[in-house]
Amino acid sequence: MAFSSNSYGVFFFILLFSFELSFAQLSSNYYATICPKALSTIRTSVTNAVMKEHRMGASLLRLHFHDCFATGCDASVLLDDTSSFTGEKTAAANADSLRGFEVVDTIKSQVESICPGVVSCADIVAVAARDSVVALGGPSWTVQLGRRESTTASLGAANTDLPSPLLDLSDLISSFAKKGFSAKEMVVLSGAHTTGQARCSMFRERLYNETTIDSTLATSLKSNCPTTGSNDNLSPLDAHSPVIFDNLYFNNLINNKGLLHSDQQLFSGGSTDSQVTTYSTNLNTFHADFANAMVKMGGLSPLTGSEGEIRTNCRKIN
């Protein structure tokens, strides 16, 4: 389907209006009186989990992204399969790779013990993502709160709406535009790959068949990611600074050291090259823009008011 420039204008106006309406129903101090220890409880648990395993910070951040980009920030990604629906955990982008469920379970148990039936799993996931980034040396932001949970999940939405690491730049831009994000916001959110790891199966094609990969990096990766087998072997998304939430990811792209095809597409002679360059030279700009984009992402189609429910167990509906 072709869109005129006017059609795109109307499309983005509707998305922007929906985004602003969502935040009109969320509040940064939602738990201030009904569960005042909620945020400190989440922060302590996340900090402990990240200290125990640094990779968990990236995993909790990714969990929030994969929740919001499917059906909205409604904790649908946490639901196990039932007889009436298939959950999102087996989607192509989630199967055998999405992590952090046990940390969310632990936090939910803790907040239930102090405020039964009050703190939603969707809010826990959103706050845990922010606290993970902070624990890894990244920026903080004010999380809008008051989300409720879905009573179903959508494997189809997870399969179609979560961007693949194999996408070219134009498809990446389109994928994020469907959720109301600009190309600039797509680039800054991709900066989350400054921390965490990826499986061999996600970058093997790039490693052995693409020419836009630094030869030294490629050689170092091949021993852990052979042409066949070892699909689940892990390599850092940012080889130079694999844990800290800094801007070296963007420096890597400029030097053809992006691990995933979709990473390197951000600096490949296209429209986003200049944005990558900006972030590679200004950590503060990257952090500020990332924080703003995360606030926006947290406002994707939340359930509020009497919509949905507050689950007792994050993995199943009440």
Side-chain angles (χ1 to χ4, degrees), residues 105-129:
D105 290 341
T106 298
I107 295 171
K108 178 62 173 176
S109 177
Q110 291 172 342
V111 295
E112 282 295 303
S113 69
I114 57 175
C115 308
V118 173
V119 183
S120 71
C121 305
D123 278 346
I124 289 172
V125 171
V127 175

Side-chain angles (χ1 to χ4, degrees), residues 272-312:
T272 55
D273 281 14
S274 60
Q275 197 60 49
V276 169
T277 301
T278 295
Y279 291 142
S280 74
T281 58
N282 196 319
L283 175 63
N284 290 336
T285 299
F286 165 51
H287 277 180
D289 287 356
F290 184 84
N292 289 333
M294 287 299 295
V295 171
K296 181 174 178 177
M297 189 179 78
L300 288 176
S301 305
L303 300 175
T304 58
S306 60
E307 299 174 310
E309 64 180 16
I310 302 296
R311 296 179 204 147
T312 301

Side-chain angles (χ1 to χ4, degrees), residues 63-219:
L63 187 63
H64 182 38
F65 173 70
H66 283 224
D67 181 34
C68 295
F69 256 61
T71 58
C73 307
D74 57 5
S76 60
V77 74
L78 304 179
L79 291 172
D80 291 332
D81 296 350
T82 71
S83 57
S84 59
F85 66 82
T86 302
E88 299 164 17
K89 294 179 179 179
T90 56
N94 297 337
D96 303 318
S97 67
L98 207 59
R99 307 170 72 245
F101 300 109
E102 293 79 9
V103 175
V104 173
D105 290 341
T106 298
I107 295 171
K108 178 62 173 176
S109 177
Q110 291 172 342
V111 295
E112 282 295 303
S113 69
I114 57 175
C115 308
V118 173
V119 183
S120 71
C121 305
D123 278 346
I124 289 172
V125 171
V127 175
R130 187 270 311 275
D131 292 346
S132 292
V133 171
V134 172
L136 295 172
S140 184
W141 58 89
T142 300
V143 179
Q144 299 296 314
L145 303 165
R147 300 170 189 80
R148 291 166 65 84
E149 278 106 34
S150 65
T151 54
T152 187
S154 177
L155 177 63
N159 274 324
T160 58
D161 289 6
L162 290 170
S164 163
L166 305 179
L167 292 182
D168 291 333
L169 178 60
S170 60
D171 291 326
L172 285 168
I173 291 173
S174 297
S175 178
F176 278 77
K178 289 177 183 177
K179 301 296 180 179
F181 291 94
S182 66
K184 176 182 176 181
E185 289 168 329
M186 180 272 291
V187 171
V188 77
L189 287 172
S190 297
H193 288 176
T194 189
T195 188
Q197 302 180 67
R199 292 178 296 156
C200 167
S201 58
M202 293 296 100
F203 59 86
R204 177 184 283 123
E205 181 71 18
R206 167 163 166 73
L207 181 57
Y208 288 97
N209 295 315
E210 293 186 13
T211 57
T212 58
I213 184 168
D214 176 78
S215 59
T216 301
L217 174 65
T219 299

